[in-house]
Structures are given as C-alpha cells and as structure tokens.
Amino acid sequence: MALKLKELKIPIFNYKVNFISGDINEAVRYLEDVEDIVLSYSEDYMACTWSYRGMSTIWFDENTITIPIMTHELIHATFAMAEKLGIEFDDQEVFCYTIEYLLEEVMKYVKFN
C-alpha cells in the first residue's frame, strides 16, 4: 500500500499538522529520510503523533482509525502547537475550537471506521 500524505495548516496559529497513512514502517522511513530525524514508534500503534521542527505529523492506520483515536492524536498535536507558540489553554474555548477545526478538516478526507 502506498503512503498517503496530507498537509493541514492552522491559519490563525500558523502551525502545520501533516497526516500520513500506510504501513508504519514505510511512513517512519519516509519521514526520517525527508525530515532528517529519528522517530520512535511501535508496530503495534494504530496511530501516533510526532512533533518536531515546529510542526506535528500524525500517522494512522486507515483500517483501524476511529474518530476517538484521531481526536486523541489531534490533542497531542494541539498541545505541541501550544507549547511551541507559548499558548496556555487557560481559556478552554481556544483548545476546544482548535480540536473542532482540526477534526472537521480531517473528516473531509479520512474515512473513519
């Protein structure tokens, strides 16, 4: 199965979240080569998030991805974004709207189980 890639930008925060699906080993090899980084992972993952160089990449298995699992990964990416930008989620609405935006965008091109 070929890797599928999608880039999503959060305009208000100028933050990028990349999505990659396909075989996790191929995805890791691709990302390590393209980004010149070393990633830790387990072949048992159904999804995971790596944050590096001021962006996040979410890998997921298209055969097992569900909305709750994707939401879990989006929360990791959102916290990484907040840390990079120095945003504190004292106001829950900023956090909630960010997750809502990301999930709505992802649902446009990911088929969930």
Side-chain angles (χ1 to χ4, degrees):
M1 171 192 293
L3 295 176
K4 293 182 184 176
L5 301 147
K6 175 74 175 170
E7 179 182 291
L8 177 62
K9 291 185 180 174
I10 306 172
I12 192 169
F13 296 120
N14 193 29
Y15 190 80
K16 184 168 64 170
V17 180
N18 297 310
F19 297 88
I20 186 168
S21 62
D23 178 78
I24 191 167
N25 294 304
E26 288 180 40
V28 167
R29 279 192 302 273
Y30 171 81
L31 290 169
E32 288 182 339
D33 184 47
V34 169
E35 300 293 341
D36 193 30
I37 56 175
V38 176
L39 300 172
S40 62
Y41 71 103
S42 167
E43 291 183 5
D44 296 331
Y45 289 167
M46 291 188 292
C48 65
T49 301
W50 299 288
S51 297
Y52 51 90
R53 293 197 184 110
M55 64 181 164
S56 295
T57 297
I58 297 175
W59 169 83
F60 61 96
D61 181 341
E62 287 184 287
N63 298 316
T64 59
I65 194 67
T66 63
I67 292 173
I69 292 170
M70 181 58 78
T71 302
H72 174 105
E73 299 306 328
L74 293 173
I75 291 169
H76 284 303
T78 301
F79 279 123
M81 177 196 74
E83 183 177 327
K84 177 201 180 269
L85 300 174
I87 297 171
E88 293 188 24
F89 289 124
D90 295 337
D91 180 355
Q92 291 181 9
E93 289 303 306
V94 175
F95 175 79
C96 293
Y97 278 121
T98 301
I99 297 299
E100 179 182 349
Y101 171 79
L102 287 169
L103 188 56
E104 283 181 354
E105 292 300 308
V106 168
M107 289 180 73
K108 292 176 182 176
Y109 65 90
V110 174
K111 181 182 177 195
F112 291 96
N113 294 310

